[in-house]
Amino acid sequence: DIKGFATTGAQRVAAKDVLAEVAKGSPRGLKHVDDAAGDRSAPVIAPDVTIKPSPMADLKKEITDAPPSLRPRSDSSDRSAPVVEAG
């Protein structure tokens, strides 16, 4: 039982009392939420701020429309090929 492991000693007794009260419903009851206060969880954007469109759509189009033009390098010293020694 995870509740038993989470609480020990006096905390276990207090937890049992709290859990019993929650299970049967609080005698004090819950307060009604007043909608007049408004929901302040949404982000607030100042009226003088302008939001630009995201450039991601143009970037995706640029990436997917044309294949990249890759050029071979002749000035590199590529030694990644395996070398087999004689003998």
Side-chain angles (χ1 to χ4, degrees):
D1 187 76
I2 195 159
K3 289 183 274 185
F5 290 114
T7 58
T8 58
Q11 292 176 344
R12 184 177 297 158
V13 174
K16 284 182 183 179
D17 294 341
V18 170
L19 290 173
E21 186 177 336
V22 169
K24 69 179 179 183
S26 176
R28 294 178 291 267
L30 297 175
K31 295 180 181 178
H32 178 70
V33 176
D34 186 18
D35 291 337
D39 183 14
R40 293 177 281 194
S41 62
V44 177
I45 300 172
D48 60 335
V49 173
T50 57
I51 300 174
K52 299 177 186 176
S54 174
M56 185 55 112
D58 295 335
L59 180 63
K60 285 181 184 177
K61 185 177 178 185
E62 181 182 333
I63 291 173
T64 57
D65 282 353
S69 59
L70 301 176
R71 297 175 305 223
R73 289 192 51 152
S74 60
D75 61 343
S76 67
S77 176
D78 184 12
R79 292 175 281 209
S80 61
V83 177
V84 179
E85 295 180 7

